[in-house]
Every structure is written in C-alpha cells, then in structure tokens.
Amino acid sequence: MTYCVGVLVEEGLLMVADTRTNAGLDDISTYRKLHHFNVPGERVMMLASAGNLSVTQSVLSMLSEGVPGDDGEPPLMKLIEAPTMFQAAQLVGRAIRRVRQIEKAGFEAANLRFSISLLFGGQIGDEPMRLFLIYSAGNFIECSTDAPFLQIGEHKYGKPILDRAVKFETDLYDALKVSLVSMDSTMRSNLGVGLPIDIAVSRRGALDLEVSHRIEAGEGYFHDLRERWSAALRAAHRSIPRPPYGPAPAK
Amino acid sequence: MTYCVGVLVEEGLLMVADTRTNAGLDDISTYRKLHHFNVPGERVMMLASAGNLSVTQSVLSMLSEGVPGDDGEPPLMKLIEAPTMFQAAQLVGRAIRRVRQIEKAGFEAANLRFSISLLFGGQIGDEPMRLFLIYSAGNFIECSTDAPFLQIGEHKYGKPILDRAVKFETDLYDALKVSLVSMDSTMRSNLGVGLPIDIAVSRRGALDLEVSHRIEAGEGYFHDLRERWSAALRAAHRSIPRPPYGPAPAK
C-alpha cells in the first residue's frame, strides 16, 4: 500500500510520500516513491507513485531514458525535455500506456492487475506551477484552487484533515505540517503505509527544490508532531459540550 | 452508501447511523438503518445495517417474524426470543443465509451483488453486554476492550478520530460525541452518507434504551459540534510547531 499527497498552494508545491512496499504482510520493503527531475533555474518537477512497483519503476526509467511515441517508434522524448508542464504530464501518460503495451500479455497470463497512479507537479520557466494526478490509463486531472491538494493510494484516512485545514492561501509550511498530520493518520490505520517519509517542497518561481528530505523513524520533529496532534485531538473533543440527549451527568 | 458505528465502553453501548440510501447520485432517499428490539427490563438489542436495502429489510422482517432453520424448515425463532446475545447473533447470521438462499437465483440473473453487513449489540438479562459485526456470509466478530468500536459501510474517513479518542474507559456520552465527530468527518467526504442521523444509547445493566433520537438537519447541537470541531482542528494544527526543514520564516 502507499499514501502520497501533493499540495499546490499560493506560495508553492509540496509532496509527501511514504516508502513502504509490500507483497503481503510478510514481505515488506522500503522503496522511494517520491522522485525529482530538476534543472535548477530552468525547471523543477516532482513525481510520486502508487501501484505495482514494477510498473512504476518501468515508467520512471522510461521517463529518464526517453519515451517513444504511442506507436512505440522514435523520436524518444525525456521528461526533462518536455517544453511545458502540460506536455510533461502528457508524456508521463504516454509512458504509462507504453509500459502497458509491453507488459499486457505477461500481466494477463499471470492474472496481475496493471495498476499505477502518479502525482506529478512542478514548474517550467515562467509558466505557472501545476499539479496533476495521472491515472493508469494515462489520462490525468489537474489540481484546482478550490481543493488545492491531490492524493494517491490509501487516501481516505488522511482526507478529513486536508479538507478542513488546507486552502489555497495556506502558508506553504503549514500545508506541509497538515500533510504530515494526514500521513500520520493514514499510518496509524493502515500498516501498509509506513516510515520513512520523503518530503519535497518547491517555492513558486524558484525553479528548484527548497526542501528534499527523508524523515526517518525516530526523528524528533515528526515524533513530536504525532504526540502533539494526538493531545490536541483529545483536547479538541473535550472542548465540545456533552451531547444533550441523555440524562444530566451526575455531579 | 452508509456509515454506522457501534461503541461498547465500560458504561454501556451506543450506535450512530446515517439514513441516506442511494441508487446512483440521482436517486437518494432517507431510510432508517438503526433498529431496536427491546423488552424493557428483560433485554435491549440494537441493529444497524449497511448494504443492499432489499436484503437488509428482508433480514429485519425475518428477524421480527421468525427465522427458519438453515434447511428452511420450522420451528421459527424471533430475534426477541433468543436466549443469549451469542445465540441472537447466530440467529441474525442464519437470517442472512436464509435470505441469500431465497434471493440467490434472482440476484445472479440480474448480476446484483448480495451485500449486507450489520452491527448488532445489546444485553439480555444478567449476561454481559456485547457488540458484534455480522458479515454477509452470516459469520461474525465481537468487539473487544482493546478496540471498543466496530464500523460498517464507509468507515475509513471516520476511523482516525475513533482510534485516538475512544477507549474502553471513555465516558459513554464522550464516546457518543466522538462518534458524531466521526460521522461528521465521513459526511464531509462522502455525499452518500447524510443527515438525518439516528442515535441509540443503552447503559450497561439498564436493559432499556436511555436515548433513541434522530438528529435532523439544522439541529443546534450537531451544527455546533461541526463548527467547534472544525475550529478545534484548525487550532490544533496551529499549535504544532512549523516543520524545521525549510528556510527560517521571514519575521
């Protein structure tokens, strides 16, 4: 299982991704799911992946080495060469379709499901910063200012806090904090989502990463965030009056 | 869609259930999903249902009129006659299997999925209060003191707050409050879960309902709970320090 969230606020873009990969509960590994394609000063691009690990790795390799046309023919285009974020997202979609063409017969023979979903965001030159969610068919949607975040993988546990606390105007690092709380909620409920956590932050217009960091188990800030959030939640529901439906409480 | 939660704490049992039934987004109705089978002073039983409405209604009617043996033969037994909560839960399972026998051919012909899950809890005489989750195969699990709640339907959005805030020792009406927060989180994320909300509370040993209430849209307490919870969540994440990963914030 996987949980990744991408947030595009006024000040910039961030992604948070776990690293747990499992083929059954008895076969758990750590794999990076958050990747960067950067040319500082020219472009910054982040890509977070969920789904079948062989598929996501093949798509990433193809994006690095070059994606052929939908007919499988040259010319190849690398992600780093895409002229706009829209065309870059189209290229990611094309890479997914190409990997599907290659793997289709083998997956069907083994009764495997071809599954991949990607968060892809960034900025190229002086065009706007953008964030996309790309599906396994290669089609994609774009993040809006009304709901300035997108999620892939095990998204439900961590969605309520994002719904309530992240607006387009939210400070970039507050949005990162809320995303880490969202990740914490998910990790508590799904053992398939686990530490370490990779984070990436890019400020709008900077055309580079401001933060690229791995939060390891035991890291002080994240441990403290989990403790404080639990305590704050307990305090929060204590601050709500008792329901008026039963008998009055004994004094 | 449906969301129901049952909580069994030291002081007693409660259930919270929404009432929205839909066959597509363009066909939405209100149906009661939380039911009681009571003989005050002798027994109290609550049953909350999720799944195909025709199936859940048939199971309920059969539990009222009498469930035949697994061979479809008499003697019939009504839920209200079951001598213990364990045997009552077995009877609910038998009713599910019996309805499946009756509907199987028709469901298969129409390519319909036979789906039902039930929360069933209560107390009979001087035996312990119990809470069960009964699956569509008729098998069931029992709630434990380690995780004193069970959920059916759209359960993920509302689980993090229950995980953190409900313990076996939690006050009965605090547990009701947290369950309403859990319902609120679910309603915000899934339009298939909606008001009004039915609630039921039974204190351990009372052998009767202490509360049986329907929260309608616009009811003051629930509206206030939603507002306060949103405000408290915003305050809660403000109380967590800014992540230490980026540059220091401008003063």
Side-chain angles (χ1 to χ4, degrees):
Chain A
M1 211 54 212
T2 288
Y3 177 51
C4 307
V5 55
V7 184
L8 181 62
V9 291
E10 198 164 9
E11 296 178 333
L13 172 70
L14 71 92
M15 287 192 190
V16 175
D18 86 310
T19 55
R20 188 160 293 174
T21 302
N22 68 297
L25 277 173
D26 55 350
D27 187 1
I28 290 182
S29 304
T30 297
Y31 279 89
R32 174 171 285 274
K33 300 171 189 174
L34 178 55
H35 303 266
H36 322 127
F37 293 79
N38 288 341
V39 183
E42 180 204 302
R43 68 177 64 210
V44 59
M45 297 190 290
M46 322 173 181
L47 200 152
S49 59
N52 182 293
L53 184 61
S54 70
V55 173
T56 59
Q57 289 188 340
S58 293
V59 167
L60 277 164
S61 293
M62 195 177 279
L63 289 168
S64 294
E65 294 192 0
V67 185
D70 266 329
D71 54 3
E73 297 297 317
L76 304 184
M77 181 181 274
K78 297 178 183 175
L79 187 59
I80 213 83
E81 299 165 346
T84 67
M85 281 301 294
F86 175 66
Q87 291 180 52
Q90 285 185 306
L91 190 72
V92 177
R94 203 163 88 204
I96 294 172
R97 289 193 300 271
R98 180 65 191 143
V99 171
R100 188 193 285 269
Q101 282 170 2
I102 297 167
E103 307 288 358
K104 191 169 188 289
F107 268 55
E108 284 177 3
N111 203 21
L112 283 175
R113 199 166 69 88
F114 185 91
S115 71
I116 179 171
S117 56
L118 299 167
L119 296 176
F120 175 63
Q123 189 170 19
I124 298 175
D126 52 9
E127 74 156 349
M129 200 163 220
R130 301 177 81 166
L131 172 62
F132 301 96
L133 195 170
I134 306 176
Y135 300 101
S136 61
N139 58 331
F140 49 87
I141 61 170
E142 183 170 4
C143 191
S144 78
T145 54
D146 291 322
F149 62 88
L150 292 169
Q151 305 167 285
I152 55 174
E154 176 65 279
H155 66 284
K156 291 189 178 181
Y157 296 117
K159 186 161 181 287
I161 180 64
L162 293 167
D163 278 335
R164 285 195 173 87
V166 177
K167 307 275 175 281
F168 185 65
E169 299 74 25
T170 301
D171 171 272
L172 186 56
Y173 286 88
D174 277 343
L176 175 61
K177 192 168 70 177
V178 175
S179 300
L180 291 173
V181 170
S182 172
M183 178 61 77
D184 174 42
S185 292
T186 310
M187 289 198 307
R188 278 178 190 256
S189 289
N190 189 327
L191 281 183
V193 178
L195 285 163
I197 297 167
D198 288 318
I199 61 177
V201 178
S202 176
R203 193 166 292 272
R204 201 178 283 263
L207 297 176
D208 200 0
L209 292 175
E210 188 164 289
V211 175
S212 172
H213 177 71
R214 170 161 289 190
I215 299 175
E216 300 282 356
E219 183 173 317
Y221 174 75
F222 190 65
H223 179 80
D224 182 57
L225 174 139
R226 304 186 81 168
E227 295 291 315
R228 283 175 185 257
W229 182 248
S230 280
L233 280 193
R234 285 191 296 270
H237 78 79
R238 274 197 300 268
S239 76
I240 297 174
R242 178 188 161 100
Y245 308 117
K251 295 296 174 197
Chain B
M1 210 54 211
T2 290
Y3 178 50
C4 308
V5 54
V7 185
L8 181 62
V9 291
E10 199 165 7
E11 294 177 336
L13 173 70
L14 71 92
M15 287 191 191
V16 175
D18 86 309
T19 56
R20 187 159 292 174
T21 302
N22 68 299
L25 277 174
D26 56 349
D27 187 2
I28 289 183
S29 306
T30 297
Y31 279 88
R32 174 172 283 276
K33 300 171 189 175
L34 178 55
H35 302 267
H36 322 126
F37 293 79
N38 287 342
V39 184
E42 181 204 302
R43 69 177 63 210
V44 57
M45 297 189 291
M46 322 174 181
L47 199 151
S49 59
N52 182 292
L53 184 62
S54 70
V55 173
T56 60
Q57 289 187 341
S58 293
V59 167
L60 278 164
S61 294
M62 195 177 279
L63 290 169
S64 295
E65 294 193 358
V67 185
D70 267 328
D71 54 3
E73 298 296 317
L76 303 184
M77 181 182 273
K78 297 177 183 175
L79 188 59
I80 212 83
E81 298 165 346
T84 67
M85 282 300 295
F86 175 65
Q87 290 179 51
Q90 285 184 306
L91 190 72
V92 177
R94 204 162 86 204
I96 293 172
R97 289 194 299 271
R98 180 66 190 141
V99 171
R100 187 194 286 267
Q101 280 170 2
I102 296 166
E103 307 289 358
K104 191 169 188 289
F107 268 56
E108 283 177 3
N111 203 20
L112 284 176
R113 201 166 68 89
F114 184 92
S115 71
I116 179 172
S117 54
L118 299 167
L119 297 176
F120 175 63
Q123 189 170 21
I124 298 175
D126 52 9
E127 73 157 352
M129 199 163 222
R130 300 175 83 166
L131 172 61
F132 301 96
L133 194 170
I134 305 175
Y135 299 100
S136 62
N139 58 330
F140 50 87
I141 60 168
E142 183 169 5
C143 190
S144 79
T145 53
D146 290 322
F149 63 88
L150 292 170
Q151 305 167 285
I152 55 175
E154 176 65 279
H155 66 283
K156 291 188 179 182
Y157 296 117
K159 187 162 182 283
I161 179 63
L162 293 168
D163 277 335
R164 286 195 171 88
V166 177
K167 306 276 176 283
F168 185 65
E169 300 73 26
T170 301
D171 171 272
L172 185 55
Y173 286 87
D174 277 344
L176 175 60
K177 193 168 69 178
V178 176
S179 300
L180 291 172
V181 171
S182 171
M183 177 62 78
D184 174 43
S185 292
T186 310
M187 289 196 308
R188 278 178 190 255
S189 289
N190 188 328
L191 281 181
V193 178
L195 285 163
I197 297 167
D198 290 317
I199 60 176
V201 178
S202 176
R203 194 166 290 274
R204 202 179 282 264
L207 297 177
D208 201 0
L209 290 177
E210 190 164 289
V211 175
S212 172
H213 178 70
R214 170 161 289 191
I215 299 175
E216 301 282 356
E219 183 174 318
Y221 174 75
F222 191 64
H223 179 80
D224 181 57
L225 174 138
R226 303 185 84 168
E227 295 292 315
R228 282 174 186 258
W229 182 248
S230 279
L233 280 193
R234 285 191 296 272
H237 78 78
R238 274 199 298 271
S239 76
I240 297 174
R242 177 189 163 99
Y245 308 117
K251 294 298 174 193

